[in-house]
Amino acid sequence: MSNDKKIHRVPGGLNELQMKGRKVVKLGGRQIALFLNDMGTVYACANRCPHEGFPLVEGSLDQECILTCNWHNWKFDLDSGETLVGGDTLRGYPVEVDGYDIVLDLSDPPQQVLIENALKNLRASFDRHEYDRMAREIARLQQAGGDPLEALRRAVWWTYDHMEFGMTHAYAAAPDWLNLRKHHSMGDAGLELVGLVEPVAHMAWDTQREPVYPYTNNFLAFSPEALTEALEAGDEATAVALVRDGLRQGLGFAEFEELLTRSALAHYQDFGHSLIYIRKVGQLLEWLGNDVLEPLLLSLIRSFIYASREDLIPEFRNYQPALEEWDGQGAQTITMEELTGLTVNQALKRTCQSSAHPQAAFHALLGALAWNMAHFDLDVQNHTNRSVSHNRSWLSFTHGLTFANAVRRQCTKFPDLWPQGLLQLSCFLGRQSRYVDQQLDLTEWSVENPESFFLEEFSCLFDHGQSEYIVACHFVKTLTSVNEEFRAFPDAPWVPILLTAMNRFLNSPIKGKHVLRIARQSLSMASMGD
Ligand code: FES
């Protein structure tokens, strides 16, 4: 990007304009549209409409110098440079008339101005979740020489206090999109852009039309014990005030990670999201740096405050007793085959029996979770006439794998937490067992060559075609977790079934909306007088 003056003369240009009213000139590799209005003023602007690039010289210019692009009716005020209808800004150029020559100044604004303009325009498109325009503005940011990751940093700041219940998968999937961008785009600029636009747009979607849900600005003297207590009590104001003080003292994410991991695993909660999110926030900070430590940490804290407590519902009431019974002496070997088909209580009991060998239990549980996912009964996904308690989707299974990945990572760091991690994996496993089809023939889903499989599936994510962010982000999150487990244990006995499960998930139909199911379940609820 050069700030050199770029002055171009169009000899006799005014003559032509006086005859035709408009013309296109090609100068310095650009197409410039020139217009002459009834008052004798000459205007110059980019000929390519900033919307989809159609030629503005074909547009309609009215008495007020409003130029309408007739392809989609966007309107540009050539005097003020404003876009009156539409989105993106039209580039205009200063003009002087010298006799019958037209002199154009095509100099670029300073780089920093272009970067800030792109970010300002990204914000405008972000607020309205205009996907295409967000892509264009991020492309312009890159074109201006800006750091493309700045789009994500800004998006985090724009959204963290618009998430009523704390962080969502929009943040959690962001590091996986960035990894995909880095490792699988093969230098293709289009693929690289996907890896940025998807997480930014997901953040826009999750917060569209949401008001600000403010965090307290108070400070309270930080201590790990006080923060743990506030999280346990579900006291957001105290927790945030403590975190703010910790940040003021210069604490980084590493100083919060252990206590957050302990809090996340203190209960079987939020179907594993709390633990998954810790890891994802850590990874996103590695990408974006500490500029976004505060918003990410606060939104993570809020997600803990609002986490659901599954260990308090009857289905999982034996989780806590099992944890109390865990003595690290259970010496029975355990395999994935033994665990498949077990209920929650059976899985908890069986896992306790191998408490002396947490790593072995982890492998067995991961294998059994993969088996369940591979055998997910799609009739359950598609049902229209069962009760709400039978609503299950692919995501009920993918979370088992992403949670397992998070358990292995975090419990390897803090090994005394293996009992919680493994027993919570047992809860995941037992919960799924009613929704599998044991007779399913998986032949068509088996994966012969893991390397080719990962290569192809990661590549496919760049053009996933899913309209719902929640589906696309689970594709990338789950494939990333599965890839990590495969890389860590390429010869594990669960590898074939894990890849089979993943292959079936990525390539099976996903029912996007349960119109009839919701109607029937609503009628049922209403008939009960609720
Ligand atoms: S291309 Fe000009 S409005 Fe769409």
Side-chain angles (χ1 to χ4, degrees):
M1 192 66 51
S2 159
N3 290 332
D4 297 345
K5 276 282 183 196
K6 294 175 185 161
I7 307 297
H8 291 264
R9 183 173 287 270
V10 184
L14 189 58
N15 267 336
E16 253 188 279
L17 282 180
Q18 284 172 339
M19 285 188 282
K20 298 180 186 165
R22 60 189 60 198
K23 80 183 250 100
V24 175
V25 291
K26 288 187 181 171
L27 296 169
R30 305 174 200 196
Q31 283 187 27
I32 314 293
L34 300 174
F35 296 93
L36 178 67
N37 74 356
D38 293 347
M39 309 296 290
T41 308
V42 177
Y43 295 94
C45 64
N47 186 41
R48 287 165 61 85
C49 175
H51 178 215
E52 289 188 353
F54 289 104
L56 284 169
V57 76
E58 302 294 340
S60 305
L61 187 65
D62 70 11
Q63 301 279 345
E64 275 77 44
C65 291
I66 308 301
L67 175 64
T68 300
C69 176
N70 292 317
W71 270 267
H72 309 101
N73 204 40
W74 283 27
K75 292 181 187 296
F76 307 96
D77 184 332
L78 294 186
D79 266 325
S80 68
E82 261 185 89
T83 301
L84 303 176
V85 175
D88 312 41
T89 306
L90 175 64
R91 174 83 190 266
Y93 300 97
V95 180
E96 279 182 19
V97 177
D98 181 12
Y100 282 93
D101 292 355
I102 293 172
V103 181
L104 298 172
D105 183 353
L106 306 187
S107 310
D108 290 316
Q111 183 184 38
Q112 201 50 40
V113 171
L114 291 174
I115 290 171
E116 284 308 322
N117 280 345
L119 289 167
K120 186 180 87 183
N121 292 331
L122 174 63
R123 179 66 199 259
S125 55
F126 186 92
D127 288 342
R128 298 168 65 175
H129 185 261
E130 295 169 334
Y131 189 95
D132 297 10
R133 188 179 172 199
M134 284 186 271
R136 290 193 295 272
E137 302 299 358
I138 296 174
R140 288 177 184 129
L141 171 66
Q142 294 188 127
Q143 182 68 27
D147 174 6
L149 294 182
E150 188 60 18
L152 262 172
R153 290 188 198 97
R154 298 278 177 113
V156 169
W157 277 105
W158 295 336
T159 52
Y160 81 104
D161 57 357
H162 290 260
M163 293 172 170
E164 186 175 6
F165 304 112
M167 71 174 278
T168 68
H169 284 292
Y171 289 176
D176 297 338
W177 282 116
L178 293 175
N179 265 318
L180 183 76
R181 175 177 183 264
K182 179 175 180 182
H183 297 296
H184 297 277
S185 59
M186 298 171 293
D188 181 317
L191 304 190
E192 287 180 1
L193 189 56
V194 169
L196 289 169
V197 177
E198 278 289 292
V200 168
H202 192 171
M203 291 176 201
W205 178 258
D206 277 7
T207 55
Q208 194 185 19
R209 292 192 284 271
E210 288 285 346
V212 171
Y213 302 100
Y215 293 91
T216 180
N217 287 315
N218 292 340
F219 292 82
L220 281 171
F222 171 79
S223 75
E225 296 75 21
L227 181 52
T228 301
E229 202 175 303
L231 291 174
E232 180 66 25
D235 179 352
E236 178 182 311
T238 301
V240 169
L242 291 163
V243 167
R244 285 200 187 283
D245 185 62
L247 293 173
R248 186 168 61 179
Q249 291 177 34
L251 301 186
F253 183 72
E255 281 77 33
F256 290 100
E257 185 180 6
E258 180 173 351
L259 82 87
L260 290 174
T261 301
R262 293 187 182 284
S263 288
L265 286 173
H267 307 284
Y268 181 47
Q269 65 180 40
D270 221 13
F271 288 114
H273 286 83
S274 300
L275 191 75
I276 295 167
Y277 284 178
I278 292 169
R279 176 134 198 276
K280 294 302 172 186
V281 164
Q283 290 176 326
L284 191 53
L285 285 167
E286 285 170 20
W287 278 103
L288 303 183
N290 277 346
D291 287 356
V292 287
L293 175 59
E294 179 186 324
L296 287 179
L297 201 48
L298 294 190
S299 62
L300 177 62
I301 290 290
R302 180 174 279 172
S303 76
F304 275 47
I305 298 296
Y306 286 100
S308 51
R309 284 280 305 276
E310 285 80 36
D311 54 356
L312 297 180
I313 62 179
E315 190 177 1
F316 305 107
R317 68 159 60 103
N318 282 331
Y319 166 74
Q320 196 60 37
L323 185 60
E324 286 160 16
E325 276 172 30
W326 187 283
D327 58 7
Q329 305 296 315
Q332 287 190 24
T333 55
I334 187 170
T335 63
M336 57 184 264
E337 289 80 9
E338 289 171 73
L339 288 170
T340 53
L342 299 189
T343 64
V344 170
N345 291 343
Q346 290 167 335
L348 287 169
K349 190 173 172 196
R350 187 66 193 82
T351 303
C352 275
Q353 288 168 348
S354 66
S355 62
H357 307 291
Q359 275 82 8
F362 170 78
H363 285 285
L365 283 159
L366 176 58
L369 286 160
W371 190 94
N372 276 356
M373 183 162 141
H375 289 83
F376 175 37
D377 183 353
L378 289 187
D379 286 348
V380 176
Q381 171 190 241
N382 300 329
H383 86 78
T384 57
N385 53 13
R386 301 171 77 182
S387 70
V388 173
S389 64
H390 293 283
N391 291 357
R392 294 290 182 276
S393 71
W394 275 108
L395 304 194
S396 312
F397 291 83
T398 62
H399 282 142
L401 301 186
T402 47
F403 182 64
N405 174 246
V407 163
R408 181 177 65 77
R409 292 285 186 157
Q410 297 308 105
C411 293
T412 300
K413 276 188 182 177
F414 312 111
D416 63 304
L417 291 172
W418 272 115
Q420 287 87 338
L422 295 172
L423 291 174
Q424 291 181 26
L425 280 171
S426 306
C427 290
F428 265 100
L429 182 72
R431 185 169 193 252
Q432 298 166 350
S433 59
R434 291 162 64 197
Y435 304 104
V436 301
D437 175 359
Q438 301 202 12
Q439 308 308 320
L440 201 64
D441 180 359
L442 295 173
T443 312
E444 67 173 308
W445 304 112
S446 71
V447 173
E448 298 299 322
N449 184 330
E451 295 299 345
S452 318
F453 170 74
F454 282 112
L455 200 61
E456 187 179 334
E457 295 301 338
F458 275 122
S459 299
C460 285
L461 292 181
F462 287 109
D463 196 24
H464 55 73
Q466 296 293 328
S467 58
E468 289 191 80
Y469 290 105
I470 197 70
V471 174
C473 87
H474 278 83
F475 281 176
V476 70
K477 281 173 71 243
T478 313
L479 189 61
T480 300
S481 291
V482 166
N483 185 46
E484 281 185 13
E485 293 312 304
F486 170 71
R487 301 288 157 204
F489 308 103
D491 302 317
W494 41 256
V495 165
I497 193 68
L498 182 63
L499 300 191
T500 298
M502 201 62 215
N503 193 17
R504 184 166 175 247
F505 166 53
L506 292 172
N507 296 291
S508 291
I510 291 184
K511 192 166 182 180
K513 195 171 180 183
H514 296 280
V515 181
L516 182 55
R517 176 198 290 182
I518 289 171
R520 285 184 172 150
Q521 291 176 345
S522 301
L523 286 169
S524 170
M525 290 289 289
S527 73
M528 288 187 268
D530 297 324

